[in-house]
Amino acid sequence: MKMKKFFAMLLALVTIFALVSCTGNEGIGDESASESETDLPNAPVCDYTYEIKEEIIVVHETEDGRKSTKVLRYPVLSGMENEELQTSVNDALRSEAERMFILSVPDVDIYIIEDTMFNYEVSSVEVTYLSNSLISVKSSVYSMTSVSSYPNCPVYTVNIDLENGEIIDEEDIFADFNEITSRFLGGEFTMVYGIEDLLSQTSYEDMILQYKSDYASYPEVYFTPDSLVICIDLVAALESSAGFAIPLSEVSDLLDFSPLK
């Protein structure tokens, strides 16, 4: 009988200890979670939401049923108090998707006449930064014609000032592009997308020296909450584009426009 009581007491003590341990672990988890949330750099304040809209359009169809298509994907914002401004922003996002189609497939009418087939697709869209004052979007394209040796896979970006609905051009972002170039050549940027062995097939110099502030020629740019990313155009054989990031805090003073300002 005494032995049964002893085991019962021991079982109760083990249960209490387990409960205390679990409670303690949960407390530690919550504390570290709150620390990680408060330590997030430059977390943007945002009252808006978005969804990705998709348009699939058959541009041309031959008599034997072959089709040339374009697929546009772009974000659509909602939640803005100013509905007219929201419509203007969404029209701009859609217009940029259409503009890239025209740039990537410039000979649509000739293709149709000659029955040259093509497939154009905005294959992925990322809203990389969204706050009450800025939306930054990176879109990847896959474009191929029946007479192309390589697909064309450019990346295009859209940065819109949500306070006035205006697209921010790259020339309005850079204040000192020469210094940005120097830091790129010095290896201060980190590659965030592109083929793994890119630097064995090209160099920092070859990539960046195609852009000149003297001629208002700049790489496409997008922002993340803590980085500036420049998108370098490459030849088709090198998958057309590569992205390089640098902390915003290190280059904010070299930019005319920055989420940190």
Side-chain angles (χ1 to χ4, degrees), residues 170-171 177-178 208-219:
E170 279 70 29
E171 61 185 306
F177 187 69
N178 289 335
I208 199 66
L209 293 182
Q210 62 183 298
Y211 304 104
K212 300 284 186 183
S213 58
D214 295 345
Y215 304 104
S217 173
Y218 301 98

Side-chain angles (χ1 to χ4, degrees), residues 69-98:
T69 60
K70 70 175 177 180
V71 180
L72 303 184
R73 293 186 178 93
Y74 51 92
V76 176
L77 273 181
S78 58
M80 298 181 73
E81 290 185 7
N82 187 330
E83 292 186 6
E84 184 177 349
L85 179 60
Q86 178 174 281
T87 298
S88 176
V89 168
N90 288 332
D91 286 347
L93 290 167
R94 200 269 176 202
S95 293
E96 283 299 295
E98 182 69 37

Side-chain angles (χ1 to χ4, degrees), residues 15 23 33 36-37 47 81 83 98 105 147 177 211 232 242 257:
T15 303
T23 304
S36 63
E37 286 171 7
D47 299 320
E81 290 185 7
E83 292 186 6
E98 182 69 37
V105 192
V147 294
F177 187 69
Y211 304 104
I232 304 293
F257 181 90

Side-chain angles (χ1 to χ4, degrees), residues 208-257:
I208 199 66
L209 293 182
Q210 62 183 298
Y211 304 104
K212 300 284 186 183
S213 58
D214 295 345
Y215 304 104
S217 173
Y218 301 98
E220 301 257 346
V221 168
Y222 67 87
F223 296 97
T224 73
D226 57 4
S227 300
L228 165 75
V229 183
I230 60 175
C231 305
I232 304 293
D233 289 329
L234 304 169
V235 297
L238 295 178
E239 297 189 3
S240 294
S241 182
F244 294 84
I246 193 169
L248 264 174
S249 57
E250 295 182 14
V251 293
S252 187
D253 60 333
L254 304 176
L255 307 176
D256 277 332
F257 181 90

